[in-house]
Amino acid sequence: SAEGIRAPDFRRIRAGEMPEEAWDAILFVDVLYLIPAPEQERLLRAAARAIAPGGTLLVKEVAHRPRAKALWNRVQETVSVRLFRITAGRRLRFLSPEKHAGWLESEGLEVERVKLDRGYAHPHHLLVARRPPARGA
């Protein structure tokens, strides 16, 4: 092990909960669209507040644009969620990356928006939200 590098501490918490202490990184991958918009906002804001100075919050989701890709994604997810029940959930709630980014920015994070859909049938996107380092760090 390299000196000065800590081993990562991975924890799985119950649905809807957020860690109480500050975290260097928090990751959401393709889960927000399965919960109501107010709960998406609550979780993202709580996660943003849990990010330590210099830490990063990653949100990988599927956007609602471009329309053709979003339509294809909606069809596929509807079949997965409602027909085959491969994915747990009842309704699909795809919010714009701008909406998610706005909540994170209002909690003091600097947000970079990354489109990941080139070459894919789905409108993947990534938000890389960083808490600025503490002064003097």
Side-chain angles (χ1 to χ4, degrees), residues 76-128:
Q76 180 180 338
E77 288 300 326
T78 298
V79 169
S80 295
V81 172
R82 300 182 99 191
L83 185 60
F84 293 122
R85 301 194 191 294
I86 295 169
T87 304
R90 292 192 180 124
R91 285 188 57 217
L92 307 176
R93 297 161 186 95
F94 295 101
L95 302 182
S96 72
E98 292 76 25
K99 172 81 73 185
H100 288 155
W103 294 333
L104 299 174
E105 289 167 341
S106 72
E107 295 294 337
L109 301 183
E110 298 171 352
V111 180
E112 176 186 357
R113 296 162 180 85
V114 182
K115 289 183 65 168
L116 301 174
D117 68 323
R118 187 175 188 162
Y120 292 98
H122 300 84
H124 300 289
H125 75 273
L126 175 68
L127 299 177
V128 181

Side-chain angles (χ1 to χ4, degrees), residues 32-51:
L32 294 175
Y33 75 97
L34 295 166
I35 60 177
E39 184 66 3
Q40 290 183 40
E41 180 178 10
R42 186 191 72 74
L43 281 171
L44 285 180
R45 287 183 181 280
R49 289 190 294 271
I51 293 295

